[in-house]
Amino acid sequence: MADLRLEELSASNIAAANALSLKPGQEQYVTPVSYSAAAVIINPATSWQRVIVDGDDVVAFIQADFDPQAASEEFRSILWRINVDADDQGRGVGRFAVEALADEARKRGLDALYVLWEPGEDGPEAFFLRTGFEPIGETSYGDTIGKRAL
C-alpha cells in the first residue's frame, strides 16, 4: 500500500475506474463511475473526482463536491461517492481516499466534510463511522447525513 497516490479522473483512467468490482450486496449502494462522471457536467467547477492508484493499478474512485455557494451547509463540502475495488477493500485504500479528501477540504479553508449514505446490511455506514463521520440527521428519503470535523 506504500505506492498509493491520487490522480485526477481522466480519459486514460476512466475505463479502469469503471471496471472496479464490488463485493456481493454492495451493488445497490454504488452506481457506475461513468454515471458520476456524467453528473459533473452539472457543475464541473465544483466537482472533485480522483482515482486512487496502487503501483500501476486503479484501485478506487472518489467523488466529492466543493461548492461554497450551496444553499445547504452539507452540500458545500460533500463526499458523493467512494468505490474501492472488492479485492482492495480492507487494506486502507478507502481511508487513504477519505484522508486525501479531508486534506483537500482543509486546503480550501473548510472545517467539515459531509456524506450521505443509505442504511443497509451491506451498506457503507461502518466504513464512514470508522473514518470519522458521525450521523447528524436524515434526509427526507431516509438516507443518513454524516459529518466529519476537520
Side-chain angles (χ1 to χ4, degrees), residues 44-93:
T46 63
S47 182
W48 188 87
Q49 296 185 74
R50 301 292 186 270
V51 292
I52 292 75
V53 179
D54 186 6
D56 294 327
D57 300 322
V58 171
V59 295
F61 170 78
I62 187 169
Q63 178 179 358
D65 197 62
F66 297 109
D67 184 358
Q69 305 304 316
S72 298
E73 180 181 341
E74 62 268 16
F75 295 123
R76 293 182 190 147
S77 177
I78 189 162
L79 168 57
W80 281 122
R81 172 165 180 190
I82 184 167
N83 183 9
V84 177
D85 190 75
D87 292 338
D88 293 291
Q89 291 179 21
R91 62 181 201 96
V93 175

Side-chain angles (χ1 to χ4, degrees), residues 9 14 18 32-42 47 49 61 63 81:
L9 185 67
I14 196 168
N18 267 327
V33 173
S34 55
Y35 295 177
S36 295
V40 172
I41 294 169
I42 296 169
S47 182
Q49 296 185 74
F61 170 78
Q63 178 179 358
R81 172 165 180 190

Side-chain angles (χ1 to χ4, degrees), residues 81-134:
R81 172 165 180 190
I82 184 167
N83 183 9
V84 177
D85 190 75
D87 292 338
D88 293 291
Q89 291 179 21
R91 62 181 201 96
V93 175
R95 181 172 294 279
F96 173 87
V98 170
E99 293 303 325
L101 176 59
D103 288 345
E104 181 67 23
R106 280 188 287 273
K107 286 179 195 172
R108 293 171 184 248
L110 300 164
D111 60 5
L113 280 174
Y114 294 85
V115 67
L116 304 176
W117 69 79
E118 181 181 344
E121 186 177 326
D122 295 316
E125 180 174 32
F127 169 77
F128 289 129
L129 296 176
R130 282 193 311 273
T131 56
F133 289 93
E134 296 181 19

